[in-house]
């Protein structure tokens, strides 16, 4: 079978699971990853015959796509802030909303001399890697409870030549804060989805992405933000700021909690017009 026929068959089957646009994007990504061919290459050389190895790999990829496995986990690659990162099912797939969180953080850092940063719940390391890449003078620490996630984060930092201090740390255990310092920036995209919303998520999220990084108990949806507010009392520099990604349903609740605990806050809309970022500073 020619590459054109294989491409058309792959695309057609993808459309049974995804919209036309998503199916086309997934097909292009996988063909480029497996064969090295872009869509333009297939158009220019449609009768090329792929190797048996390429055929087998494409069929395996198609099976995974039809099983709703995210394409990023199939290729082990995700793009974030124009950087290619390694990902697997031990870490969340970086999202566009988080890019905005990082951009706001970078702007803040560029206006300061003191640039000590901690990322709480780093996952793939997408946040600290991009921050360090764009602000080389920053001293960046990143923590996560998952040893497997830290291995991925360290790999991404090494591949992008960014020097970051990675620490395994259970942030919910206040005793472990003693190992941490004082920071000018606290940034976090913590777990914030209540378990009751699990069944409403897309299958590719609920079946494949790590639940440890996604969900919190229904009774305590603000759990991580409450800990961050407490952590900031002792570990945020006087002129520092906290930057957090939040659940759109709880943006006001997070903001109110911080204000009630001595912070000035601001809520920021994402590219879709939803309040998804909360920033906080100590009141004078």
């Amino acid at each position: 079978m020619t590459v054109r026929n294989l491409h058309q068959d792959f695309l057609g089957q993808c459309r049974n699971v995804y919209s036309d646009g998503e199916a086309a994007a997934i097909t292009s990504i996988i063909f480029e990853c497996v064969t090295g061919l872009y869509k333009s290459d297939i158009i220019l050389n449609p009768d090329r015959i792929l190797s048996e190895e390429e055929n087998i790999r494409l069929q395996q990829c198609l099976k995974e796509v039809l099983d709703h496995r995210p394409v990023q986990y199939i290729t082990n690659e995700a793009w974030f802030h124009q950087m290619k990162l390694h990902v697997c099912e031990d870490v969340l797939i970086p999202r566009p909303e988080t890019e905005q969180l990082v951009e706001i953080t970078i702007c803040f850092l560029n206006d300061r001399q003191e640039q000590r940063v901690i990322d709480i719940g780093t996952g793939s390391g997408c946040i600290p890697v991009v921050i360090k890449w764009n602000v080389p003078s920053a001293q960046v620490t990143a923590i996560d409870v998952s040893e497997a996630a830290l291995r991925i984060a360290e790999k991404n930092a090494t591949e992008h030549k960014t020097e970051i201090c990675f620490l395994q740390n259970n942030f919910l255990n206040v005793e472990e804060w003693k190992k941490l310092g004082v920071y000018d920036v606290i940034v976090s995209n913590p777990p914030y989805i209540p378990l009751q919303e699990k069944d409403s998520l897309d299958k590719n999220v609920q079946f494949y992405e790590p639940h440890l990084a996604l969900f919190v108990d229904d009774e305590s949806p603000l759990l991580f933000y409450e800990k961050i507010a407490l952590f900031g009392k002792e570990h945020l520099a006087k002129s520092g700021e906290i930057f957090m990604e939040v659940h759109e349903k709880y943006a006001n609740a997070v903001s109110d909690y911080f204000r009630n605990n001595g912070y000035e806050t601001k809520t920021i809309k994402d590219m879709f017009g939803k309040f998804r970022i909360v920033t906080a500073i100590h009141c004078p």
Side-chain angles (χ1 to χ4, degrees):
M1 188 179 291
T2 65
V3 66
R4 175 176 56 187
N5 291 337
L6 278 169
H7 187 275
Q8 290 175 342
D9 179 67
F10 196 108
L11 176 59
Q13 294 201 53
C14 281
R15 285 173 172 157
N16 293 327
V17 178
Y18 294 98
S19 67
D20 286 354
E22 289 176 305
I26 289 168
T27 300
S28 294
I29 290 168
I30 289 177
F31 266 74
E32 179 188 343
C33 179
V34 173
T35 70
L37 299 174
Y38 294 93
K39 186 176 180 180
S40 57
D41 298 320
I42 296 171
I43 292 172
L44 292 172
N45 191 11
D47 296 324
R48 172 178 166 176
I49 303 298
L50 299 180
S51 69
E52 182 179 356
E53 182 180 350
E54 289 172 324
N55 273 282
I56 292 172
R57 178 63 182 138
L58 284 170
Q59 290 306 312
Q60 177 60 35
C61 289
L62 179 59
K63 180 179 182 301
E64 294 179 22
V65 169
L66 298 181
D67 285 339
H68 300 276
R69 190 173 184 216
V71 65
Q72 293 91 341
Y73 291 156
I74 296 173
T75 63
N76 292 127
E77 294 176 355
W79 284 91
F80 182 79
H81 211 275
Q82 300 180 328
M83 299 178 77
K84 185 191 290 185
L85 300 176
H86 182 80
V87 295
C88 67
E89 291 173 28
D90 292 316
V91 299
L92 291 181
I93 297 165
R95 302 300 204 274
E97 308 91 275
T98 311
E99 289 191 10
Q100 186 174 352
L101 176 73
V102 171
E103 288 166 2
I104 293 169
T105 305
I106 289 170
C107 288
F108 176 80
L109 285 167
N110 282 333
D111 289 335
R112 330 179 25 96
Q113 290 185 332
E114 297 293 328
Q115 299 171 322
R116 298 163 296 178
V117 180
I118 185 168
D119 174 35
I120 298 169
T122 195
S124 67
C126 62
I127 291 175
V129 167
V130 171
I131 288 175
K132 183 65 176 179
W133 177 263
N134 284 275
V135 190
S137 55
Q139 300 173 29
V140 183
T141 299
I143 64 173
D144 204 290
V145 69
S146 168
E147 183 178 355
L150 287 171
R151 285 197 295 268
I152 300 300
E154 288 171 347
K155 179 175 182 176
N156 285 321
T158 299
E159 289 183 352
H160 290 285
K161 297 180 175 60
T162 49
E163 185 177 344
I164 296 163
C165 175
F166 290 102
L167 299 172
Q168 187 173 12
N169 186 290
N170 180 4
F171 185 72
L172 296 181
N173 182 353
V174 176
E175 286 298 308
E176 295 201 24
W177 296 355
K178 295 175 183 177
K179 306 172 186 177
L180 305 174
V182 173
Y183 305 94
D184 304 287
V185 163
I186 297 170
V187 60
S188 185
N189 176 21
Y192 55 67
I193 301 175
L195 274 169
Q196 64 186 353
E197 296 185 14
K198 176 182 173 183
D199 291 340
S200 68
L201 300 177
D202 291 340
K203 291 179 180 179
N204 56 350
V205 175
Q206 62 172 294
F207 291 163
Y208 292 98
E209 298 205 51
H211 290 188
L212 182 66
L214 286 171
F215 298 112
V216 287
D217 290 339
D218 296 334
E219 295 77 20
S220 51
L222 303 188
L223 174 63
F224 280 87
Y225 303 102
E226 292 167 1
K227 293 293 187 181
I228 291 170
L230 182 61
F231 179 76
K233 293 290 186 178
E234 299 294 332
H235 294 266
L236 182 67
K238 287 186 178 179
S239 58
E241 190 158 352
I242 302 173
F243 300 86
M244 300 165 287
E245 185 172 324
V246 300
H247 192 307
E248 61 180 287
K249 292 182 181 178
Y250 297 105
N252 288 336
V254 171
S255 182
D256 289 344
Y257 185 87
F258 273 80
R259 280 201 302 272
N260 292 336
N261 282 274
Y263 293 87
E264 293 180 357
T265 67
K266 181 167 61 175
T267 55
I268 300 171
K269 290 182 179 179
D270 66 9
M271 64 191 74
F272 306 109
K274 299 175 180 178
F275 286 107
R276 294 296 307 279
I277 295 171
V278 172
T279 68
I281 59 174
H282 283 308
C283 291

